[in-house]
Amino acid sequence: QGSRRVVNWNEKYKMLKHLRWLRNQIAHDNSAPELEENDLIELQHFHTQLLNQKDPLAVLFKVKRETTNNSAKKRVDYSSFEAERREEHSVSPFVVALIIGVATIMCIVLFSMIL
């Protein structure tokens, strides 16, 4: 759904996969590749997007919420509305893993800059 509803979804996905790969190389490999300036810029940009809820997942959830709200206004039977609202507010395991991964990358980068 993300690639159809969010601009640059695939590019952001590939960038995050690259950053996760870098993080894993740094954490688990003695001959880890050097971070490039572009990688740090992308990481900082994504972090800013997360804080402002402008990251691709937040945009996707916003679009889905707006679509759901628009279709909910047209419905006559509201009996299942409460169940849908509870599902909207549950956090996906992917989102939790993504946030933890980005936080880990940021900690590693900051720690390496301090040393």
Side-chain angles (χ1 to χ4, degrees):
Q1 290 181 353
S3 61
R4 290 178 291 168
R5 294 183 174 186
V6 179
V7 178
N8 296 331
W9 176 273
N10 291 329
E11 291 80 9
K12 288 290 182 183
Y13 176 72
K14 288 177 185 176
M15 183 267 305
L16 286 173
K17 280 181 64 173
H18 172 71
L19 291 175
R20 185 183 64 189
W21 177 81
L22 277 175
R23 179 257 174 224
N24 288 338
Q25 292 297 313
I26 291 169
H28 301 292
D29 194 4
N30 291 336
S31 60
E34 292 290 324
L35 285 174
E36 295 179 10
E37 185 177 352
N38 190 35
D39 295 331
L40 292 175
I41 291 170
E42 286 293 334
L43 185 60
Q44 289 172 342
H45 178 67
F46 187 73
H47 180 255
T48 303
Q49 285 182 328
L50 279 174
L51 293 177
N52 295 321
Q53 296 182 346
K54 303 279 187 192
D55 59 285
L57 280 178
V59 172
L60 177 62
F61 288 137
K62 183 179 178 183
V63 169
K64 286 175 70 176
R65 191 176 327 122
E66 288 172 357
T67 304
T68 303
N69 288 342
N70 289 339
S71 64
K73 291 177 185 175
K74 297 176 185 176
R75 269 192 241 151
V76 176
D77 180 21
Y78 290 97
S79 61
S80 64
F81 187 69
E82 280 301 314
E84 289 177 10
R85 281 189 48 203
R86 275 186 250 120
E87 289 176 8
E88 280 182 7
H89 296 295
S90 64
V91 178
S92 165
F94 176 74
V95 173
V96 173
L98 179 67
I99 291 171
I100 290 171
V102 170
T104 303
I105 291 170
M106 289 175 36
C107 289
I108 291 170
V109 170
L110 291 174
F111 183 74
S112 66
M113 291 172 69
I114 291 172
L115 294 178

